[in-house]
Amino acid sequence: MIKLPQEVNGLMDAFKKNKFQIYVVGGAVRDMLLDPSTSLRTSSKKEMELDWDFTTNATPEQILKMFPDAFYNNVYGTVTVPIKNKQSNNETMKQFLFEITPFRTESNYSDSRHPKKIEWAKTVDEDLSRRDFTINAIAYDGKNIIDPYGGQKDLSNRLIKAVGDPDIRFNEDALRLLRAVRFTSQLGFLIEDATRDSIQKNAGLITKISWERIRDEFLKILGGDHPSEGVLFLKNTGLLSYILPEVDVCFAIPQKSPKRHHVYDVGTHLVMALKHCPSSDPITRFATLIHDIGKAKTFYKDEKTDLITFYNHEVVGKKQAEKIAERLKLSNKQKDKLITLVAEHQYTVSEDQTDKAIRRFIRSVTKEYLQDMLDLRTGDRIGSGAKPTSWRNELFKKRLEEVQKQPFQIKDLKINGNDVMKLLKIKPGPQVGSILKKLFEKVSKGKIKNEKQDLLDQITTIN
Ligand code: ATP
Ligand code: MG
């Protein structure tokens, strides 16, 4: 028997006391059956992002009567009950979100997007029949497991298999095409043959889905434990050509060339880089996956020498990254990060670099994304068949730290000699330097702030 958290039992008991049927369904049952020793959905690591789904024969109104704190505000009839998590001592994770949806069926899909009408169902079996994959169509009432579609068998075989006829199910709702791939990345499962063939056959239906919903699933694919497998499924089923054609075409771009270290075509290199990128951040992984897309447009092969080059591919790639970020409706913050990482990925690592050059590099990448930039490079290196690092690379990282530790200098002031000359209407000369020096001393001693206006205000008094 699966042990449920106290809060879940409490919620289910309230239904049972009122003579209603109530079942845990979806991801929570799936995760508990996969790993009964730890209930993933109560561990502090995951509970923030993972919800508990229930299904019941109670109506939304009846649920609201039992839980006055609950809210009910969507067309699917889902009632959300917030309940305090007693086991959690972390302030930010103190509640479970329980989502309770009355038994329902879905019928009359006309646009591969949403059902034209939703009808309530009478039994849990009927409710399970509308769910996407067998591993998601298992219900648990605290004692018995209801598994009409062989979900437990597929869990042990590690397979994602559509409930019913896959062609019909994907035509009903094309988001399921991406959900299947998302579960390959999150769970490390394969897709059952007929389901996979059907995804390939119906891949074009994805164009009916909004980019916001595609983005959400795609970022979950990137954020899973097996993102490169997920991307290969996208590639092999044809979905990638709709979502990221810029990456799709890279699989046809060779880069083996005399005296070059590359062992893979550009597309395979990108997937391998993603596989080995040590960051778990979906946007850093995204940037790693697309860092070389500019190579498809800049490919040049010299007929005489057979040498292949991709001049300025990072400049072209930056423009493409901007388009991709727009298309996938990333937030401004996500956009900025994705584009910066792609634009800067060609940075050189050399023992001859000056501190100034290293400082310039930090300024263009920004301190905030510095570790992400290094993680992209690690993926890039391993994904090219190189060792994870080199002595040059290690030296560079050390220098990055040292440069950042260097004490505050005159040139770090928020104003410069030009500001001084302009304000005092004077020409270049020792007076300018001496004023800057005095300002610097004042800022170092904490007497004034290093803010442009504060500094300008001081200039006349110092002079
Ligand atoms: P997780 O919560 O870990 O992301 P999940 O399987 O619970 O995974 P949800 O999106 O929370 O996924 O959906 C809950 C359940 O609702 C699913 O397990 C599935 O049974 C059903 N479901 C969700 N989306 C669909 C869909 N597009 N078509 C059919 N069933 C769906
Ligand atoms: Mg869920």
Side-chain angles (χ1 to χ4, degrees), residues 84 139-140 279 420 431 448:
K84 276 214 157 70
Y140 181 57
S279 170
V420 176
Q431 198 191 350
I448 52 167

mmCIF file of all heavy atoms in Angstrom, residues 84 139-140 279 420 431 448:
data_model
loop_
_atom_site.group_PDB
_atom_site.id
_atom_site.type_symbol
_atom_site.label_atom_id
_atom_site.label_comp_id
_atom_site.label_asym_id
_atom_site.label_seq_id
_atom_site.Cartn_x
_atom_site.Cartn_y
_atom_site.Cartn_z
ATOM 1 N N LYS A 84 -2.101 23.754 4.542
ATOM 2 C CA LYS A 84 -0.762 23.925 5.140
ATOM 3 C C LYS A 84 -0.019 22.598 5.170
ATOM 4 O O LYS A 84 -0.580 21.568 5.511
ATOM 5 C CB LYS A 84 -0.918 24.439 6.575
ATOM 6 C CG LYS A 84 -1.077 25.917 6.657
ATOM 7 C CD LYS A 84 -0.390 26.413 7.954
ATOM 8 C CE LYS A 84 -0.004 27.858 7.874
ATOM 9 N NZ LYS A 84 -1.046 28.815 7.875
ATOM 10 N N ALA A 139 -5.592 5.754 -10.785
ATOM 11 C CA ALA A 139 -6.190 6.459 -9.638
ATOM 12 C C ALA A 139 -5.974 5.651 -8.362
ATOM 13 O O ALA A 139 -5.833 4.428 -8.409
ATOM 14 C CB ALA A 139 -7.680 6.672 -9.886
ATOM 15 N N TYR A 140 -5.934 6.336 -7.222
ATOM 16 C CA TYR A 140 -5.692 5.670 -5.937
ATOM 17 C C TYR A 140 -6.603 6.295 -4.891
ATOM 18 O O TYR A 140 -6.625 7.515 -4.736
ATOM 19 C CB TYR A 140 -4.209 5.863 -5.560
ATOM 20 C CG TYR A 140 -3.805 5.214 -4.266
ATOM 21 C CD1 TYR A 140 -3.980 3.834 -4.069
ATOM 22 C CD2 TYR A 140 -3.231 5.962 -3.231
ATOM 23 C CE1 TYR A 140 -3.596 3.233 -2.880
ATOM 24 C CE2 TYR A 140 -2.837 5.356 -2.043
ATOM 25 C CZ TYR A 140 -3.028 3.997 -1.873
ATOM 26 O OH TYR A 140 -2.652 3.406 -0.700
ATOM 27 N N SER A 279 24.648 23.003 -16.101
ATOM 28 C CA SER A 279 23.609 23.822 -15.465
ATOM 29 C C SER A 279 22.258 23.113 -15.510
ATOM 30 O O SER A 279 21.958 22.389 -16.456
ATOM 31 C CB SER A 279 23.496 25.155 -16.198
ATOM 32 O OG SER A 279 22.357 25.850 -15.748
ATOM 33 N N VAL A 420 34.272 65.756 -15.786
ATOM 34 C CA VAL A 420 34.918 66.829 -15.011
ATOM 35 C C VAL A 420 35.195 68.030 -15.922
ATOM 36 O O VAL A 420 34.876 69.185 -15.593
ATOM 37 C CB VAL A 420 36.246 66.325 -14.385
ATOM 38 C CG1 VAL A 420 36.973 67.457 -13.661
ATOM 39 C CG2 VAL A 420 35.988 65.158 -13.445
ATOM 40 N N GLN A 431 44.886 68.890 -13.652
ATOM 41 C CA GLN A 431 43.807 69.256 -12.745
ATOM 42 C C GLN A 431 42.686 68.192 -12.770
ATOM 43 O O GLN A 431 42.107 67.846 -11.732
ATOM 44 C CB GLN A 431 43.232 70.610 -13.181
ATOM 45 C CG GLN A 431 42.418 71.283 -12.091
ATOM 46 C CD GLN A 431 41.638 72.481 -12.656
ATOM 47 O OE1 GLN A 431 41.865 72.902 -13.800
ATOM 48 N NE2 GLN A 431 40.749 73.034 -11.858
ATOM 49 N N ILE A 448 31.281 59.974 0.400
ATOM 50 C CA ILE A 448 30.201 60.187 -0.584
ATOM 51 C C ILE A 448 29.927 58.890 -1.341
ATOM 52 O O ILE A 448 30.760 57.979 -1.344
ATOM 53 C CB ILE A 448 30.535 61.313 -1.606
ATOM 54 C CG1 ILE A 448 31.919 61.038 -2.249
ATOM 55 C CG2 ILE A 448 30.464 62.688 -1.005
ATOM 56 C CD1 ILE A 448 32.158 61.911 -3.468
#
